[in-house]
Amino acid sequence: MRPSARRPDQLRPLRFTPGFTTQAEGSVLAEFGETRVLCTASVEERVPPFLRGRAQGWITAEYGMLPRATGERTPREAGRGKQGGRTLEIQRLIGRSLRAAADLTQLGERTITLDCDVIQADGGTRTAAISGAWIALRIAIQGLVASGKLPQSPLKRQIAAVSVGVYAATPVLDLDYAEDSSAETDMNVVMTDAGGLIEVQGTAEAAPFSRVEMNAMLDLAAHGIEQIIAAQRAVFSE
Amino acid sequence: MRPSARRPDQLRPLRFTPGFTTQAEGSVLAEFGETRVLCTASVEERVPPFLRGRAQGWITAEYGMLPRATGERTPREAGRGKQGGRTLEIQRLIGRSLRAAADLTQLGERTITLDCDVIQADGGTRTAAISGAWIALRIAIQGLVASGKLPQSPLKRQIAAVSVGVYAATPVLDLDYAEDSSAETDMNVVMTDAGGLIEVQGTAEAAPFSRVEMNAMLDLAAHGIEQIIAAQRAVFSE
Amino acid sequence: MRPSARRPDQLRPLRFTPGFTTQAEGSVLAEFGETRVLCTASVEERVPPFLRGRAQGWITAEYGMLPRATGERTPREAGRGKQGGRTLEIQRLIGRSLRAAADLTQLGERTITLDCDVIQADGGTRTAAISGAWIALRIAIQGLVASGKLPQSPLKRQIAAVSVGVYAATPVLDLDYAEDSSAETDMNVVMTDAGGLIEVQGTAEAAPFSRVEMNAMLDLAAHGIEQIIAAQRAVFSE
Amino acid sequence: MRPSARRPDQLRPLRFTPGFTTQAEGSVLAEFGETRVLCTASVEERVPPFLRGRAQGWITAEYGMLPRATGERTPREAGRGKQGGRTLEIQRLIGRSLRAAADLTQLGERTITLDCDVIQADGGTRTAAISGAWIALRIAIQGLVASGKLPQSPLKRQIAAVSVGVYAATPVLDLDYAEDSSAETDMNVVMTDAGGLIEVQGTAEAAPFSRVEMNAMLDLAAHGIEQIIAAQRAVFSE
Amino acid sequence: MRPSARRPDQLRPLRFTPGFTTQAEGSVLAEFGETRVLCTASVEERVPPFLRGRAQGWITAEYGMLPRATGERTPREAGRGKQGGRTLEIQRLIGRSLRAAADLTQLGERTITLDCDVIQADGGTRTAAISGAWIALRIAIQGLVASGKLPQSPLKRQIAAVSVGVYAATPVLDLDYAEDSSAETDMNVVMTDAGGLIEVQGTAEAAPFSRVEMNAMLDLAAHGIEQIIAAQRAVFSE
Amino acid sequence: MRPSARRPDQLRPLRFTPGFTTQAEGSVLAEFGETRVLCTASVEERVPPFLRGRAQGWITAEYGMLPRATGERTPREAGRGKQGGRTLEIQRLIGRSLRAAADLTQLGERTITLDCDVIQADGGTRTAAISGAWIALRIAIQGLVASGKLPQSPLKRQIAAVSVGVYAATPVLDLDYAEDSSAETDMNVVMTDAGGLIEVQGTAEAAPFSRVEMNAMLDLAAHGIEQIIAAQRAVFSE
């Protein structure tokens, strides 16, 4: 039995609220159960130094957690003077995943920054961030196309992400904090709407995992991502 | 005529949403028009080194702004490696104001940290933060009393804050960003429910201001704070 | 009775020593009793990035305190790796005040930096810094005019500053450290020679203050600043 | 055809030189072709603050790259004032992997730090670091057992790591820099001598990868790790 | 001919003003011509962690330069977020030299920090700092003895320092900035009143120097230090 | 008797291994007994900002120590967020010494960076670094000449360095860690092949040293450097 009484293959209630804030070119509040991540997309008409003059754009991400998004207060990274290893690892993952969704040569010499800020954390913040960031990115790109700044969308794939794991010897989908903190294995999976794998990051927490378990987790991830993909689409068909 | 078509003595629509997040001991979303600040109160059973063994508690504040709370993206302070002067100045102001509301010797050897994070900025974020933080603080203290950790509330005053200024030669209440960025004078005022002054910070932006203008601004502030005080009370009477 | 046996409306002995150091374009040692601040003005023929190509100049300030300016040694900020919130707050205040004294569009594309370094601290360092920095600024500008780099002075106002407060239930002028550390209210006021207000920063330390007390403090400040303005003028008439 | 003319399932020449330096409790130079990583294990008789009094030990890792380990000089992280995201990500991976190899409750209240410094980089530095660090760790633990500080070894598993990828549409083992920089997919795999998975980190660089490709890569990894495990064992049987 | 028209073996006018500031346990303004360094000694009743429980004290130094001590403004180290290599090198030199003057085991478990802040720089700031710091140290130690905190002075040697160099092919004593910036060789020498060498730091700036030149410089240094030693003594005999 | 049983004027076994790593334009492993320093020279076709447009090149050095190069693990400077004073002092010394060996106006607008990383430390790391860096520099410059980027070598002097000291009242050459940590005096000397002095840095550790001791140490240094110069030459004659 999962702490949340969900079935092993059951996602938490999923909600995307586009336009949650109004200043950014794209904005969405992504909620996976009690996990809430605000994703905004900011368009800037310049590229980082290493890309200047290369006739292409850039997509990057930053991740943050409000100090009291967690059960105990986490010291503010701005006050400590640096971003921790976990933060840097997560924002590198989000950025890579989003870049895999677009053709940067069709973006023009501009940068889109996806800021993913965790308002409340209950496990799976990085996968919620990726799933939400794709929506914010698409909203921003639609704006660029609508305003004539881009002739067509450089988005080439839809992507979404979910966490899976082995909890109490059972492969489960979309772990909340109670499961995540005592899971034997933890895996984050990013996939496209066509079922292609973009990122797989699996970690044995308590014991090594087998190829059989890995396959079961990947099956669960594919099953969950299919539903997240549908929920992302619903945002745009409304 | 104000850009928002408000009367000179008119506040923006004001809303306090207690319990906006659930992990903190106290939490409220404070909205002054389009300005939205999430205030949380975190209780920790220790005091900073300089207060150890002095049989008193501590109240402190931290302030942050999500990168895309503003019209143009503001670089993330955690990534730049330090908090800017404006951030430090604001969180010092919030902390001082909240400490003036409580008797720290009745708090026990514990620290309450008020995190004020700006989700969306449209002027007046620091005064919204103070007004919201007082609510979060009271919720947290009620919890300490309810759980028996404190025999009685160390809160001795209700405080709230508002910005006033001189815009187009007219003293006005509760400036939004459009007014704030072209005001001749800008003043932040923190007051108690009994009408006492806690903080007054006035700055001539374009031209020096007179004692007459100063008095007009303080009158407006008192008028506005009275309404904010009422709205704070309504949170607890519901 | 004040610890220094001064009358409530009495300034400490005031002394400005222009040319205290010789390398800077402008230099003055400002002494308010035992408080001693060295103010230098440095002219650089460039503006910060955000002002490039805007046909205007910039005036900015930096503030520091020697480690043993105080009764107990304060750790050196250069060694700690960052300037504290108090330092940043003060240097922002000095810079804003001095910019209010000049027409930046008449300064040309150059920056004048006012470095205010506290050699000895006995209360009121920030207001001594502002009062001294105005002198250093005027000396530097006179040099620019004398050398033909500027056709006329961009200085449009004379400014000075003083601290006031409520000590032992009495409004008093120009607090020294003994008063400052136990005052009920502390207020810093910056004014022009024409009596206009530039900055008012009042803080309730022990109890809220009233409008009546605020007015009494502002009256004292106006009275003190008048004398400081005269002392500044004397530097240039000698 | 691979740039190095190796078969798809062929490792680079592999060499472990134990005792490469003499000050550390364990030391080995790990060479995978031209990639050379110096791994040292340092034993300290204390644990980090979060583990004090819990009757267990800690294993952690740090990773660094000499500035000219690479084809173009990389700025020294010590000079830049912080470790980059890639460095932090890698040292977190090494630390997690090594902790999975040991029973920390049998280590006593001591810390073993694995320093993995890249002398020369030609792809696969993090997997070479993990494979070498296990040897350095075992040497250090043997010393603790030999000196009577530990009654028995807390090492419970042998682990090793290798990189795999898809290059020119073919799954390949142990990518060098020429392959790594133009691979379609890149995956790092950490496994035990019993074939259990410890870490799987796969990233689509140019195009999504399929479950079929993933399985092919995992097969190659298992094949390669088997040989590395044998080479590690040979160090101890000599 | 030297730019200052001094003879090769002639010091600049030398002045020590004890008690220049009043908060520190020891204070002196050291002037070598236009070079002015404020040296203060601060006594703290604790030792750094590495000396705790060793029944000895510690003497250390910090060095700083006001931004406009120099002909062009030097950016403030506190603002840049770190002390530069030159600063660290100089304060290590001052600290080592002063420790050589005292018997730390007779100092008790306390730390004396010598802060040497350059008010105005015209060459030779580090040697002026050492010569002045010895005076500040002795004043502070006399206070400890006078107050009964120490039974006797732990000072065992008198030390002073001076710079020498080769300028225009001639060995010269006590270089000012005009000489220092175009000298062929620059050497800083710290000696005791008994003529023993404490530190010798010589650097070829334009061309290698010979043993003959080195000896000539050391003779000049001994000659100059003798006079500085006398001037230090005069401070205490007055 | 020296701990190593060497004669007072005897160097440790000396070995230079050119080409120890292959990516850099110049590379050598310098070994003085158990002290091992990897020196690489990196050529970059740009100069630092302060030299732009001056038709000259730049030579600079960086120094680092692997955490476990020492008997006890030294915390990694990259992790601590800054280079220590000792590191900065050493890399400034190496850079100055190497610049004295070359005519920078003949180098073209390029920078050569000497990275000196201590693999294992047993005393004398800075002098081993200088001696090795000269070899790496010469290899890199030979490459620039061979490829036609430079018409002739800008190297004008051969330099090498050694440490000397007074140990157990006897002047000794090339101190190892056992001697260095209990020497009365420690001196580092950099000289040219023509016997000119480039740097002399002598420090009294336990007691002042005399001119007689200083001369004895300089004689020993000259004797040792002569042999190091010969070993450097042998690298190029092979």
Side-chain angles (χ1 to χ4, degrees):
Chain A
M1 180 71 107
R2 304 177 71 172
S4 60
R6 281 183 284 149
R7 296 187 314 276
D9 68 347
Q10 190 179 353
L11 286 176
R12 290 177 286 180
L14 182 64
R15 187 161 55 160
F16 294 117
T17 308
F20 185 76
T21 60
T22 60
Q23 304 262 30
E25 283 73 38
S27 160
V28 69
L29 183 72
E31 296 177 84
F32 280 61
E34 292 299 307
T35 288
R36 289 195 265 166
V37 185
L38 174 55
C39 307
T40 60
S42 296
V43 178
E44 289 169 305
E45 297 294 320
R46 63 171 179 266
V47 288
F50 70 91
L51 283 182
R52 278 185 200 142
R54 300 227 185 157
Q56 71 157 92
W58 188 242
I59 293 172
T60 187
E62 295 194 6
Y63 172 92
M65 192 137 71
L66 295 193
R68 201 52 201 281
T70 44
E72 301 200 357
R73 185 174 185 275
T74 310
R76 193 176 287 267
E77 289 186 324
R80 299 181 58 203
K82 62 176 179 182
Q83 295 175 296
R86 180 183 172 276
T87 294
L88 291 173
E89 191 174 308
I90 292 175
Q91 66 191 19
R92 284 161 56 92
L93 171 66
I94 302 171
R96 275 200 314 272
S97 298
L98 273 291
R99 282 192 293 279
D103 180 346
L104 297 175
T105 65
Q106 292 183 26
L107 184 55
E109 291 212 4
R110 52 176 61 89
T111 298
I112 302 183
T113 302
L114 284 311
D115 283 291
C116 301
D117 286 274
V118 180
I119 304 292
Q120 192 165 276
D122 186 33
T125 63
R126 76 188 74 187
T127 47
I130 293 168
S131 300
W134 185 84
I135 295 174
L137 175 63
R138 181 166 161 186
I139 294 173
I141 283 175
Q142 284 183 333
L144 288 170
V145 172
S147 67
K149 287 188 182 160
L150 280 181
Q152 60 180 53
S153 169
L155 264 188
K156 60 185 184 192
R157 292 184 189 99
Q158 184 175 352
I159 65 160
V162 80
S163 79
V164 285
V166 179
Y167 173 78
T170 309
V172 293
L173 177 65
D174 189 22
L175 288 73
D176 56 27
Y177 181 74
E179 289 171 322
D180 193 36
S181 54
S182 61
E184 290 102 61
T185 300
D186 179 32
M187 186 176 296
N188 293 294
V189 181
V190 187
M191 292 179 71
T192 69
D193 57 342
L197 292 159
I198 296 292
E199 288 275 345
V200 175
Q201 296 199 339
T203 296
E205 300 286 352
F209 54 100
S210 66
R211 289 284 288 273
V212 169
E213 287 170 316
M214 177 144 196
N215 281 324
M217 288 189 283
L218 287 171
D219 288 343
L220 280 175
H223 171 70
I225 284 173
E226 208 171 312
Q227 297 168 62
I228 301 167
I229 291 273
Q232 287 173 324
R233 278 195 188 141
V235 166
F236 293 95
S237 61
E238 280 156 14
Chain B
M1 182 70 109
R2 304 176 71 172
S4 59
R6 280 184 283 149
R7 294 186 316 275
D9 67 347
Q10 191 179 351
L11 286 177
R12 291 178 285 182
L14 183 63
R15 188 161 54 162
F16 294 118
T17 308
F20 186 76
T21 60
T22 58
Q23 305 262 29
E25 283 73 37
S27 160
V28 69
L29 183 72
E31 297 177 83
F32 281 63
E34 292 298 307
T35 288
R36 288 195 265 166
V37 184
L38 174 56
C39 306
T40 59
S42 297
V43 178
E44 289 169 305
E45 298 294 320
R46 63 170 179 267
V47 289
F50 69 92
L51 284 182
R52 278 184 201 141
R54 301 228 187 155
Q56 71 159 91
W58 188 241
I59 294 173
T60 187
E62 295 195 6
Y63 173 92
M65 192 139 71
L66 295 193
R68 200 51 199 282
T70 45
E72 299 199 359
R73 185 174 185 275
T74 308
R76 191 177 288 269
E77 289 185 324
R80 297 182 60 201
K82 61 176 176 182
Q83 295 175 295
R86 180 184 171 274
T87 294
L88 292 173
E89 191 175 308
I90 292 175
Q91 67 192 21
R92 283 160 57 89
L93 171 67
I94 303 171
R96 274 200 315 271
S97 298
L98 273 292
R99 282 192 293 279
D103 180 346
L104 298 175
T105 63
Q106 292 184 26
L107 185 56
E109 291 213 3
R110 51 176 65 87
T111 298
I112 304 184
T113 302
L114 283 312
D115 284 290
C116 301
D117 286 274
V118 180
I119 305 293
Q120 192 164 278
D122 187 33
T125 61
R126 79 188 72 186
T127 47
I130 292 168
S131 301
W134 184 85
I135 296 174
L137 175 64
R138 183 168 160 185
I139 295 172
I141 284 176
Q142 285 182 333
L144 288 169
V145 173
S147 67
K149 288 188 181 160
L150 281 180
Q152 59 181 57
S153 169
L155 264 187
K156 59 184 183 192
R157 295 187 188 97
Q158 183 174 354
I159 65 158
V162 80
S163 77
V164 285
V166 178
Y167 173 77
T170 307
V172 293
L173 175 65
D174 189 21
L175 289 74
D176 57 26
Y177 181 73
E179 288 171 323
D180 193 38
S181 55
S182 61
E184 289 103 61
T185 300
D186 180 32
M187 185 177 295
N188 293 295
V189 182
V190 186
M191 292 178 71
T192 69
D193 57 342
L197 292 160
I198 297 292
E199 288 274 344
V200 175
Q201 296 199 340
T203 296
E205 299 287 352
F209 54 101
S210 65
R211 289 283 288 275
V212 170
E213 287 171 316
M214 177 144 197
N215 282 323
M217 287 189 285
L218 287 171
D219 288 343
L220 280 175
H223 172 70
I225 285 173
E226 208 171 311
Q227 296 168 62
I228 302 167
I229 290 274
Q232 288 174 325
R233 278 195 188 140
V235 166
F236 294 95
S237 62
E238 280 157 15
Chain C
M1 182 70 109
R2 305 178 69 173
S4 60
R6 281 184 284 149
R7 297 187 313 275
D9 67 346
Q10 190 179 354
L11 287 176
R12 290 177 285 180
L14 182 65
R15 188 161 55 161
F16 294 118
T17 308
F20 186 76
T21 59
T22 59
Q23 305 262 30
E25 282 73 37
S27 159
V28 70
L29 182 72
E31 295 176 85
F32 281 62
E34 291 300 306
T35 287
R36 287 196 266 166
V37 184
L38 174 56
C39 306
T40 59
S42 296
V43 179
E44 290 168 305
E45 299 292 320
R46 61 171 181 269
V47 289
F50 69 92
L51 283 182
R52 276 182 203 145
R54 301 229 186 155
Q56 72 158 92
W58 188 240
I59 293 173
T60 187
E62 296 194 5
Y63 172 92
M65 192 138 72
L66 295 193
R68 200 50 200 282
T70 45
E72 299 200 359
R73 186 175 184 274
T74 310
R76 193 174 287 267
E77 290 186 323
R80 300 182 58 203
K82 63 176 175 180
Q83 294 175 296
R86 179 183 172 277
T87 294
L88 292 172
E89 191 174 309
I90 292 175
Q91 66 191 19
R92 283 161 57 91
L93 171 66
I94 303 171
R96 274 201 314 273
S97 298
L98 274 291
R99 283 192 292 279
D103 180 346
L104 297 174
T105 64
Q106 292 183 27
L107 185 55
E109 292 211 2
R110 53 175 62 88
T111 298
I112 302 183
T113 302
L114 282 312
D115 284 291
C116 300
D117 286 274
V118 180
I119 304 293
Q120 192 164 277
D122 186 33
T125 63
R126 76 188 72 186
T127 47
I130 293 169
S131 301
W134 185 84
I135 296 173
L137 175 62
R138 180 166 161 187
I139 295 173
I141 284 176
Q142 284 183 332
L144 288 169
V145 172
S147 67
K149 286 189 181 159
L150 279 180
Q152 59 181 57
S153 169
L155 265 188
K156 60 186 183 191
R157 292 185 190 99
Q158 184 175 351
I159 65 158
V162 80
S163 78
V164 285
V166 178
Y167 173 77
T170 307
V172 293
L173 175 66
D174 189 21
L175 290 72
D176 56 27
Y177 181 74
E179 289 171 323
D180 193 37
S181 54
S182 61
E184 290 102 61
T185 300
D186 179 31
M187 186 177 298
N188 293 295
V189 182
V190 187
M191 293 178 71
T192 69
D193 55 342
L197 292 160
I198 296 292
E199 289 274 344
V200 175
Q201 296 199 341
T203 295
E205 299 287 353
F209 53 101
S210 65
R211 288 284 286 276
V212 170
E213 287 170 316
M214 176 142 198
N215 281 324
M217 287 188 285
L218 287 171
D219 288 343
L220 280 176
H223 171 71
I225 285 173
E226 207 171 313
Q227 296 168 62
I228 302 168
I229 291 273
Q232 288 174 324
R233 276 194 191 142
V235 166
F236 294 96
S237 60
E238 280 156 12
Chain D
M1 181 69 109
R2 306 177 69 172
S4 60
R6 281 184 284 149
R7 295 186 317 272
D9 67 346
Q10 191 179 353
L11 286 176
R12 290 176 286 178
L14 182 65
R15 187 162 53 161
F16 294 118
T17 309
F20 186 76
T21 60
T22 58
Q23 305 262 29
E25 282 74 38
S27 158
V28 69
L29 182 73
E31 296 176 85
F32 280 62
E34 292 299 307
T35 288
R36 287 194 265 168
V37 184
L38 174 56
C39 306
T40 59
S42 296
V43 179
E44 289 168 305
E45 297 295 320
R46 61 170 180 267
V47 288
F50 70 92
L51 284 181
R52 278 183 201 143
R54 301 229 187 154
Q56 71 158 94
W58 187 241
I59 294 172
T60 187
E62 295 194 8
Y63 173 92
M65 191 137 72
L66 295 193
R68 201 50 201 282
T70 45
E72 300 200 0
R73 187 176 184 273
T74 309
R76 191 176 289 266
E77 289 185 324
R80 298 183 59 203
K82 62 177 177 182
Q83 294 176 295
R86 179 183 172 276
T87 294
L88 292 173
E89 190 175 309
I90 292 175
Q91 67 191 20
R92 284 161 56 88
L93 170 67
I94 302 172
R96 276 200 312 273
S97 298
L98 273 292
R99 282 191 293 278
D103 180 346
L104 298 175
T105 64
Q106 293 183 26
L107 184 55
E109 292 212 3
R110 52 175 64 89
T111 298
I112 304 183
T113 302
L114 284 311
D115 285 290
C116 301
D117 286 274
V118 180
I119 304 293
Q120 191 165 278
D122 187 33
T125 62
R126 79 188 70 186
T127 47
I130 292 168
S131 301
W134 184 85
I135 296 174
L137 175 64
R138 181 166 163 187
I139 295 172
I141 284 175
Q142 285 183 332
L144 288 169
V145 172
S147 67
K149 289 188 181 160
L150 281 180
Q152 60 180 55
S153 170
L155 265 187
K156 60 186 183 191
R157 293 185 190 100
Q158 184 174 352
I159 64 157
V162 81
S163 78
V164 286
V166 178
Y167 173 77
T170 308
V172 293
L173 176 66
D174 188 21
L175 289 73
D176 57 27
Y177 180 74
E179 288 172 325
D180 192 36
S181 53
S182 60
E184 290 102 62
T185 300
D186 179 32
M187 186 177 295
N188 293 295
V189 182
V190 186
M191 293 179 71
T192 69
D193 57 341
L197 292 160
I198 296 293
E199 289 274 345
V200 175
Q201 297 199 339
T203 296
E205 299 286 353
F209 53 100
S210 64
R211 290 282 288 275
V212 170
E213 286 171 317
M214 176 142 197
N215 281 324
M217 287 189 286
L218 287 171
D219 288 344
L220 280 175
H223 172 70
I225 284 172
E226 205 170 314
Q227 296 168 62
I228 301 166
I229 291 274
Q232 288 173 324
R233 277 194 190 142
V235 166
F236 294 94
S237 59
E238 280 157 13
Chain E
M1 181 70 109
R2 303 177 71 172
S4 60
R6 280 184 284 149
R7 295 186 316 273
D9 67 346
Q10 190 179 354
L11 286 176
R12 289 178 285 181
L14 183 64
R15 188 161 55 162
F16 294 117
T17 308
F20 186 76
T21 60
T22 59
Q23 306 261 30
E25 283 72 39
S27 160
V28 69
L29 182 72
E31 297 177 83
F32 281 63
E34 292 299 305
T35 288
R36 288 196 265 167
V37 184
L38 174 56
C39 306
T40 60
S42 297
V43 178
E44 289 169 305
E45 298 294 319
R46 61 171 180 267
V47 289
F50 69 92
L51 284 182
R52 277 183 202 142
R54 301 228 187 156
Q56 71 159 92
W58 188 240
I59 294 173
T60 187
E62 295 196 6
Y63 172 93
M65 191 139 70
L66 295 193
R68 200 51 199 283
T70 44
E72 300 200 358
R73 186 175 184 273
T74 310
R76 192 176 288 268
E77 289 185 325
R80 300 181 58 200
K82 63 176 176 181
Q83 295 176 294
R86 179 184 171 277
T87 294
L88 292 172
E89 191 174 310
I90 291 175
Q91 68 191 20
R92 284 160 56 90
L93 171 66
I94 302 171
R96 275 201 312 274
S97 298
L98 273 292
R99 283 192 292 279
D103 179 346
L104 298 175
T105 64
Q106 292 184 24
L107 184 56
E109 292 214 2
R110 52 176 62 90
T111 298
I112 302 184
T113 302
L114 283 312
D115 284 291
C116 301
D117 286 273
V118 180
I119 305 293
Q120 191 164 279
D122 186 34
T125 63
R126 78 188 71 185
T127 47
I130 292 168
S131 301
W134 184 83
I135 295 174
L137 175 63
R138 182 165 161 188
I139 295 172
I141 283 175
Q142 284 182 332
L144 289 169
V145 173
S147 67
K149 288 189 181 160
L150 280 179
Q152 59 180 58
S153 169
L155 265 187
K156 60 186 183 191
R157 292 184 191 102
Q158 183 175 351
I159 65 157
V162 80
S163 78
V164 285
V166 177
Y167 173 78
T170 308
V172 292
L173 174 66
D174 188 22
L175 289 73
D176 57 27
Y177 181 74
E179 288 171 324
D180 192 37
S181 55
S182 61
E184 289 103 62
T185 300
D186 179 33
M187 185 177 295
N188 293 294
V189 181
V190 186
M191 292 177 72
T192 69
D193 56 342
L197 292 160
I198 296 293
E199 287 274 344
V200 174
Q201 296 199 340
T203 296
E205 299 287 351
F209 54 100
S210 65
R211 290 283 288 274
V212 170
E213 287 170 316
M214 177 142 196
N215 281 323
M217 288 188 285
L218 287 171
D219 289 343
L220 280 175
H223 171 70
I225 285 172
E226 206 171 312
Q227 297 168 60
I228 301 167
I229 290 274
Q232 288 174 325
R233 278 193 189 144
V235 166
F236 294 95
S237 61
E238 281 156 13
Chain F
M1 180 69 109
R2 306 177 69 173
S4 59
R6 281 183 286 149
R7 294 186 317 274
D9 68 346
Q10 190 179 354
L11 287 176
R12 290 177 285 180
L14 182 65
R15 185 161 56 160
F16 295 117
T17 309
F20 186 76
T21 59
T22 59
Q23 304 262 32
E25 282 73 37
S27 160
V28 69
L29 182 72
E31 297 177 84
F32 280 62
E34 291 301 305
T35 288
R36 288 195 264 165
V37 184
L38 174 55
C39 307
T40 60
S42 296
V43 179
E44 290 169 305
E45 299 293 319
R46 62 171 180 269
V47 288
F50 69 93
L51 283 182
R52 277 181 203 144
R54 300 227 185 155
Q56 70 158 93
W58 188 240
I59 293 172
T60 188
E62 296 193 6
Y63 172 92
M65 191 137 73
L66 295 193
R68 200 52 199 283
T70 44
E72 300 200 359
R73 187 176 184 272
T74 310
R76 192 176 288 267
E77 290 186 324
R80 299 181 58 201
K82 62 177 177 180
Q83 294 176 296
R86 179 183 172 276
T87 294
L88 292 172
E89 191 174 309
I90 292 175
Q91 65 192 21
R92 284 160 57 89
L93 171 66
I94 303 171
R96 274 201 313 273
S97 298
L98 273 291
R99 283 193 291 279
D103 180 346
L104 297 175
T105 64
Q106 293 184 25
L107 185 56
E109 291 212 3
R110 52 175 64 87
T111 298
I112 302 183
T113 302
L114 284 311
D115 284 291
C116 302
D117 286 274
V118 179
I119 304 293
Q120 192 164 278
D122 186 33
T125 62
R126 76 188 73 186
T127 47
I130 292 168
S131 302
W134 184 84
I135 295 175
L137 175 64
R138 181 168 162 184
I139 295 173
I141 284 175
Q142 285 182 332
L144 288 169
V145 172
S147 67
K149 287 188 181 160
L150 280 180
Q152 59 181 56
S153 169
L155 265 187
K156 60 187 183 190
R157 293 186 190 98
Q158 184 174 352
I159 64 158
V162 81
S163 77
V164 286
V166 177
Y167 173 78
T170 308
V172 292
L173 175 65
D174 189 21
L175 289 72
D176 56 27
Y177 181 75
E179 288 171 324
D180 193 37
S181 54
S182 61
E184 291 103 61
T185 301
D186 180 31
M187 186 178 295
N188 293 294
V189 182
V190 186
M191 292 178 72
T192 69
D193 56 341
L197 292 160
I198 297 292
E199 290 273 345
V200 175
Q201 295 198 340
T203 295
E205 299 287 352
F209 53 101
S210 65
R211 290 283 288 275
V212 169
E213 286 170 318
M214 177 143 198
N215 281 323
M217 287 189 284
L218 287 171
D219 288 343
L220 280 175
H223 171 70
I225 285 174
E226 206 171 313
Q227 296 167 63
I228 301 166
I229 290 273
Q232 289 174 323
R233 278 195 188 141
V235 166
F236 295 95
S237 61
E238 278 156 16

